[in-house]
Amino acid sequence: MEKQNSGFMNKFQAVLEKYVVPVAMKISQQRHLAAVRDGLTILVPVTIIGGFAILLAMPPVDATVKATNILTSFLCAWRDFATTYSSTLMIPYNLTIGAISIYVVLGVAYRLCKYYKMDTISNLITTILVYLCVAGIPTAYTVGDATVTAIPLTNIGASGMFTAILVAIGVIEINHFFIKKNLVIRLPDSVPPNVAAPFNVLIPGIASLVFFMGIDGLCHTFIGTGFSGLIYAIFQPLLSATGSLPSIIVINLLMTTFWFFGVHGGNMLGVVVTPVTTAALALNAEAYAAGKELPCIFAGAFNTVYGGYISYMAVVLCLLFFSKASQSKSIAKIAVVSTAFNINEPVIFGLPTVLNPFTLIIFYICNNLNVAIAYGLMSSGFLGKFYISLPFTVPGPLQAWLASMDIKAIFVWFGLLVLDVIIAAPFMKAYDKQLLAGGENAEA
């Protein structure tokens, strides 16, 4: 039976390596998709700053709460402080998550510039100019006796993210085409490069501006909304579809399969997942700031916090509690601390989980069961949705709490961990027996 299983796994691995992995690698390395994935990764510090700003400005405490003990006294003091300085505290949020599309344009354009080895700063300035020109018609506001014209933050927030991505890719591609065809202003070689570089993008920049503003004008004329509004209307159903539970389960199955073969599942699917979860997180933050119901479940680190962060820890705990083989016992002792901070490489490559059918089954079951339960609890309103971004090394239960500011998230996280340990225990015991049968020495 073992030889039959081994033969099947070898055939299955050969099929994946021949047909699936090469396609996935090409998709993940495609220059535009990679620029989107890597460009949005640059935004992590911005989203963290914005998340903490909105947390300080809008503490999770009701106006009816009275100071009756140390905890409620702290919360009431926090609430009073936030009420007094709300306008100041919200400035970092408004200029980070509230204007996230600005950073999306810069991040994606920067990564694509680096790919083409183009001058960075001059192309970024051109890209941000074009985006602002099509982000939305500026609105006139009366401030005291003066009239101020400005682009509303709603136009450059989460709803403008996909427009920002398309503009960034489009402008850099147009600029690259003009530069490649030498359709640029060339100054004498005696002119310093830092002076000549802006002139190289002048003609391409004008072409990009005319192209996108032309499309924006046509959109206003024929459909009554601008380019940004059209793109948001197109991508909104995709955002909803990708955030559905079946979609999340499919994503998890694919990620787990890639990791099984030692291929980074996050990188493979990040080109699809990252834009969706980043946009959803920004939409949730906007809704929270407006006092509305948070619309998205599949937001921020939801999938990893309630998925792999729990199942990997369950595997390590099973090794600590039940393993007799010295190899796995030693790995568990080394990995328990790193896994607590969501660094799973010691388990992935040390145990290993790569090409390990026992852990593959565990992750297939646990990751999707965890996410399904958390999804159901959020959908029912029992559990808060994510609207704050945190560094990935924040331990899972703390991240579940702080990302949603729902204290129940800690108890749900540990409840799922217990469930995962129960599910994983028989598989890890079987794996331990296999190690011992293979000549591994048991600890005394």
Side-chain angles (χ1 to χ4, degrees), residues 136-303:
I137 298 175
T139 304
Y141 300 91
T142 300
V143 181
D145 296 331
T147 300
V148 178
T149 301
I151 298 175
L153 277 176
T154 53
N155 291 1
I156 57 176
S159 61
M161 266 191 59
F162 293 106
T163 303
I165 291 171
L166 292 178
V167 169
I169 293 173
V171 171
I172 299 304
E173 284 294 341
I174 291 172
N175 288 6
H176 178 254
F177 173 81
F178 273 72
I179 293 171
K180 186 178 179 180
K181 298 297 182 180
N182 203 28
L183 300 174
V184 297
I185 298 174
R186 293 289 184 185
L187 298 182
D189 294 339
S190 58
V191 178
N194 62 318
V195 177
F199 287 92
N200 288 340
V201 298
L202 181 58
I203 294 177
I206 292 173
S208 297
L209 189 62
V210 170
F211 175 75
F212 279 103
M213 289 195 70
I215 293 178
D216 189 56
L218 290 174
C219 289
H220 279 291
T221 301
F222 292 104
I223 63 176
T225 186
F227 178 65
S228 185
L230 173 63
I231 296 303
Y232 182 68
I234 292 172
F235 278 93
Q236 191 175 28
L238 176 64
L239 189 66
S240 301
T242 310
S244 66
L245 181 58
S247 298
I248 298 171
I249 290 175
V250 170
I251 289 169
N252 278 337
L253 290 173
L254 290 173
M255 281 189 177
T256 302
T257 303
F258 282 127
W259 274 117
F260 175 72
F261 291 103
V263 179
H264 197 298
N267 284 344
M268 292 295 100
L269 297 178
V271 294
V272 176
V273 175
T274 303
V276 171
T277 55
T278 304
L281 186 75
L283 286 170
N284 281 355
E286 288 180 359
Y288 183 82
K292 299 178 181 178
E293 182 180 354
L294 277 58
C296 304
I297 295 177
F298 190 42
F302 164 79
N303 197 31

Side-chain angles (χ1 to χ4, degrees), residues 38-227:
D38 299 337
L40 293 182
T41 302
I42 300 175
L43 272 61
V44 171
V46 170
T47 57
I48 291 174
I49 292 171
F52 277 111
I54 195 174
L55 178 61
L56 286 174
M58 304 184 70
V61 54
D62 192 81
T64 59
V65 174
K66 305 296 182 182
T68 57
N69 53 48
I70 295 176
L71 177 59
T72 55
S73 296
F74 168 75
L75 292 174
C76 288
W78 181 5
R79 180 188 62 202
D80 295 341
F81 170 78
T83 302
T84 303
Y85 299 102
S86 177
S87 58
T88 301
L89 294 173
M90 284 296 288
I91 290 175
Y93 163 77
N94 288 330
L95 296 178
T96 53
I97 297 176
I100 194 169
S101 295
I102 299 290
Y103 303 96
V104 171
V105 167
L106 295 174
V108 175
Y110 172 78
R111 288 299 188 186
L112 201 51
C113 277
K114 298 295 285 185
Y115 175 86
Y116 284 130
K117 296 180 173 60
M118 297 164 62
D119 179 70
T120 305
I121 187 64
S122 56
N123 282 282
L124 293 186
I125 291 173
T126 302
T127 307
I128 199 66
L129 168 64
V130 174
Y131 174 69
L132 290 176
C133 287
V134 300
I137 298 175
T139 304
Y141 300 91
T142 300
V143 181
D145 296 331
T147 300
V148 178
T149 301
I151 298 175
L153 277 176
T154 53
N155 291 1
I156 57 176
S159 61
M161 266 191 59
F162 293 106
T163 303
I165 291 171
L166 292 178
V167 169
I169 293 173
V171 171
I172 299 304
E173 284 294 341
I174 291 172
N175 288 6
H176 178 254
F177 173 81
F178 273 72
I179 293 171
K180 186 178 179 180
K181 298 297 182 180
N182 203 28
L183 300 174
V184 297
I185 298 174
R186 293 289 184 185
L187 298 182
D189 294 339
S190 58
V191 178
N194 62 318
V195 177
F199 287 92
N200 288 340
V201 298
L202 181 58
I203 294 177
I206 292 173
S208 297
L209 189 62
V210 170
F211 175 75
F212 279 103
M213 289 195 70
I215 293 178
D216 189 56
L218 290 174
C219 289
H220 279 291
T221 301
F222 292 104
I223 63 176
T225 186
F227 178 65

